[in-house]
Amino acid sequence: MSENQTTASWGSRLGFILASAGSAVGLGAIWKFPYMAGTNGGSVFMLPYIFFTFTVGISLLVAEFAMGRAGREGPMASLTKVCGRGWGFFGGVGVFTVFLILSFYSGVGGWCIKYMVDAFIGRGLISDPELLGTHFGAFVSDGSMSFLYMMIFLGITAVVVLRGIQGGIERVAKVLMPALFILMLIIIVRGLTLPGGLAGLEYLFAPRWEDFNASALFNAMGFCFFSLSLGAGTMITYGSYLSPKADLPGAVGWVAVLAIMSSILGGLMVLPAVFAFGLDPSAGPGLTFVTMPAVFSKMPLGQLFAVMFYVCLVVAALTSSVSMLEACTALLTRQFSMRRTPAILLTVAGCTVVGLASTLSFGVWSDVKFFNRTIFDILDYVTSNVGMPLSTFGIAIAAAWVAWPTMKRELTAARPVSESGLWFIRIMIGVVSPLFVLVVAGGSL
């Protein structure tokens, strides 16, 4: 579908909120949050994460959405138009970062599709986590099979984005996001009704301040940054399609609430079932692909719940990947005047090449390392610790100290905001948020 990028817009406020929340949710809610909470003390990780999201996270979201809506262009052009020459660099960094993320993220999305297919046919529900680890290792090291599933995931993403903003991204978000929450609630109810499942609930919500440490606090800061898709160009792009009359602070609040809610629901999907069967909640990234199949193998109607669980994973992965592809598409169509379809196909082709290298790093290229990291690890490290922080830092400084009159106009377009409220937002964006970014990036590096 060829949609004019200069006139494209969301069909409704609800569509914008659900699509933006879908971009923020991604695999972080179901894959990353449970194992982060499991390895960082449960509630002493979750509570700081919620605090950081409702303070710094919201401030940075406001900055990105406002820059996008004011510029009405892609990330580079919007920042250049609103802030002046040179500031578009930070938008370009964000889009290049999100291109790299989409390249290796599509591989993980392919893993989700593979496990969903296995669940449908009843394969892979093995009770021994050690055998499951071997099963997972054999799959990801099979370059041709992993690449095939990665291409399936990229293809589905491309089909959605090809249909445009209202006909593709918004329509899919309005269906997939409610479906995701419904499926999550069903799995949560089943997990909590298992004998011993309430221990997982207690682990997640009952504060144990004796377990609180600097590591849990730092990881909560990092996950806030990751979970809201900050510094990746996606939120500037989505903001550029937002009506000038829409209530920006209110919409941002809803996106943050839905992102937090989905993460908590993701924890409730996994941890009660893990505790019910006496497995290790601190199993790390393998919790989703190694521990959970063992849980389903022991659970009554386990295959049914395994299917629903991996459908949730695929849906969450897609709601995020479409925003990444759209950010790259917006850059090519608006900055370089490409037509929409060729821009999408060119991005997918580039992701295919980089994604192939990332996929092979689990198999035949596993010995190819840079700074003692595989290609997949390098891509993850550079995007998380350099690209996203750099882009976000530049956007925060630009929003608060270069284009503040524009920010004030965007924040008060739908309803008035008090001077004290505007002052607080400016300090959060221009002082607290950059410090937050420096702490997270510095600690990670």
Side-chain angles (χ1 to χ4, degrees):
M1 177 178 179
S2 178
E3 185 167 352
N4 189 331
Q5 291 292 320
T6 61
T7 59
S9 63
W10 301 108
S12 66
R13 181 170 180 265
L14 176 63
F16 163 72
I17 291 172
L18 289 177
S20 299
S23 173
V25 171
L27 284 173
I30 304 176
W31 172 56
K32 192 166 187 176
F33 180 84
Y35 83 74
M36 290 290 286
T39 54
N40 289 281
S43 58
V44 296
F45 165 82
M46 183 184 71
L47 295 176
Y49 157 65
I50 294 174
F51 172 77
F52 289 132
T53 299
F54 277 132
T55 52
V56 178
I58 280 183
S59 302
L60 291 169
L61 276 179
V62 165
E64 295 205 17
F65 282 140
M67 290 294 99
R69 186 167 72 172
R72 309 298 291 178
E73 300 284 353
M76 280 186 72
S78 285
L79 287 171
T80 300
K81 183 177 179 180
V82 174
C83 305
R85 199 182 193 100
W87 290 100
F89 166 79
F90 294 101
V93 170
V95 176
F96 181 66
T97 298
V98 87
F99 165 77
L100 295 179
I101 293 174
L102 180 59
S103 299
F104 71 83
Y105 182 95
S106 296
V108 182
W111 300 350
C112 298
I113 292 178
K114 168 66 163 59
Y115 271 70
M116 181 183 71
V117 171
D118 283 353
F120 268 109
I121 62 179
R123 185 194 306 161
L125 299 183
I126 304 167
S127 60
D128 184 351
E130 186 174 336
L131 289 178
L132 281 166
T134 303
H135 174 74
F136 177 70
F139 164 61
V140 297
S141 63
D142 184 343
S144 58
M145 188 62 68
S146 295
F147 183 66
L148 171 64
Y149 279 102
M150 184 197 82
M151 290 305 301
I152 293 172
F153 181 82
L154 262 178
I156 297 172
T157 302
V159 167
V160 174
V161 179
L162 279 166
R163 295 188 62 82
I165 305 305
Q166 292 185 27
I169 298 172
E170 183 172 354
R171 181 176 295 176
V172 167
K174 284 183 175 180
V175 174
L176 292 187
M177 286 303 290
L180 175 63
F181 283 116
I182 291 170
L183 287 172
M184 291 173 83
L185 288 172
I186 293 172
I187 297 172
I188 288 167
V189 170
R190 184 66 191 100
L192 291 175
T193 55
L194 292 169
L198 292 179
L201 186 68
E202 181 180 354
Y203 182 81
L204 193 57
F205 287 102
R208 296 177 307 284
W209 297 114
E210 65 275 11
D211 293 338
F212 182 75
N213 54 45
S215 177
L217 183 67
F218 174 76
N219 285 324
M221 295 172 71
F223 185 74
C224 165
F225 191 80
F226 174 87
S227 69
L228 294 176
S229 296
L230 297 170
T234 55
M235 296 311 187
I236 293 180
T237 303
Y238 276 11
S240 71
Y241 304 134
L242 185 61
S243 166
K245 298 180 180 180
D247 179 10
L248 185 61
V252 167
W254 273 110
V255 172
V257 166
L258 290 175
I260 289 173
M261 185 185 302
S262 61
S263 291
I264 294 174
L265 291 178
L268 289 174
M269 283 175 65
V270 174
L271 293 176
V274 167
F275 274 86
F277 292 104
L279 298 173
D280 184 10
S282 60
L287 197 62
T288 298
F289 296 106
V290 177
T291 303
M292 288 308 293
V295 168
F296 294 127
S297 71
K298 301 175 182 178
M299 183 187 295
L301 299 177
Q303 183 179 352
L304 173 63
F305 289 102
V307 169
M308 288 193 288
F309 179 80
Y310 288 109
V311 166
C312 285
L313 270 181
V314 172
V315 168
L318 282 171
T319 57
S320 191
S321 65
V322 294
S323 70
M324 299 184 207
L325 182 53
E326 180 60 33
C328 297
T329 301
L331 176 74
L332 293 175
T333 55
R334 291 168 160 181
Q335 196 77 25
F336 300 103
S337 301
M338 289 185 66
R339 292 178 59 83
R340 184 173 178 85
T341 298
I344 293 170
L345 296 178
L346 178 62
T347 303
V348 169
C351 288
T352 300
V353 174
V354 179
L356 175 60
S358 172
T359 297
L360 294 178
S361 70
F362 290 94
V364 295
W365 286 3
S366 60
D367 293 330
V368 178
K369 296 185 178 181
F370 304 91
F371 305 103
N372 205 32
R373 287 182 168 88
T374 65
I375 297 173
F376 181 95
D377 293 335
I378 281 287
L379 291 172
D380 184 25
Y381 183 84
V382 169
T383 54
S384 298
N385 300 309
V386 180
M388 293 174 74
L390 178 60
S391 177
T392 304
F393 183 86
I395 292 167
I397 296 298
W401 307 114
V402 179
W404 182 246
T406 301
M407 285 290 299
K408 285 179 65 175
R409 187 183 70 239
E410 293 299 326
L411 288 168
T412 57
R415 56 187 173 91
V417 179
S418 68
E419 284 299 321
S420 59
L422 289 171
W423 178 86
F424 176 78
I425 292 171
R426 188 177 190 183
I427 294 301
M428 288 298 300
I429 294 174
V431 178
V432 178
S433 296
L435 291 174
F436 174 89
V437 172
L438 289 175
V439 169
V440 173
S444 298
L445 290 171

